[in-house]
Amino acid sequence: MDFQAEKELVLSFYKALENAALSESSAVFENYCSTDWLWRGVHPFDVQTGPVAVDAIFWSGFSHAFSSLQRRMDMFMAGENWLSETKETWVTSMGHFMGLFDNPWLGIKPTHKLVLLRYAEFHRIKAGKIVETALFLDIPALMMQVGLRPFPDQTAAQVVHPGPLPHDAIMTASQPASEGAKTLAAINQMISDLGQWKSGLPLEEELARSWHKDMVWWGPAGIGATYTIERYAKQHSGPFRAAFSERSGTGHVCRFAEGHYGGFFGWPNFTAKPTGGFLGMPASDKAGEFRVVDIYRRRDDKLIENWVFIDLLHYLKTQGLDVLQRQQS
């Protein structure tokens, strides 16, 4: 399969949505999405069903807040869900929404200046309609852009996340199936070998099984981005593992690859107990949920770049803290 029809559907959907007036967005959703469309969004939007609900609960307020809204893609790919027993085709894009922050959103005051909101979006296509979507937004990164401080100091760097170094990830044309198979194999090896933190190896040796030495980890606001295995181990992986115990198994909804790129999302990916404390919260024996997107670039037989989205607002809500509500008070 070349997935071209599904790609063209999503690109047409994006174009129609970007060109629609505020009063027309609901009609766009109804045209491209099924009546029972399952839509997942980060906190506070969570799970919605059907075009009318998605427009009312999320899109109408979002598009009103950010004038002259653009979707600036760094990655666009499609593939068959490796986790499904039936043939499921998914289309994924990643990049930033760019706009002028002209009206309040989620209690965040507008700046009337340009902002960039990092996103990753997965769409399942069936019979010419979008039937399932997961949209991850890095809302804390937006909060930090406008001068708020939703979390304590990060362990890694807060930066605007660029797209892949080769600038070849907007794959509107079909890619060799053999390359996608190699990428998926590299992702699966990383998950099976390292995903449960039980390899018994020193951390940097464990990471080197799946990652190039000069890897880049583009993490979410609250954790940050880091570069090279050594710094990734020190600035994220090591501190994160030290903060948590009793990690559950991995639960992904969708996982696929195309060309040198691939990724997955979970709802949740895993649960874990913050027995060492995390994001300024004290240690707890209450398991928290991690809804996560990981998107990867492969070089040769190992992974070299990783863009990560974690719904940290939802995680903290499971621990009893509503960050959005707190910043409004």
Side-chain angles (χ1 to χ4, degrees), residues 22 115 140 152 176 180 191 216 238-239 255 268 277 325:
L22 289 176
V115 291
I191 294 169
V216 190
R255 188 190 309 167
Q325 187 178 64

Side-chain angles (χ1 to χ4, degrees), residues 13 29 179 195 210 221 229 266 316 322:
F13 169 59
F29 286 127
E179 294 299 327
S210 296
I229 282 181
L316 287 171
D322 190 326

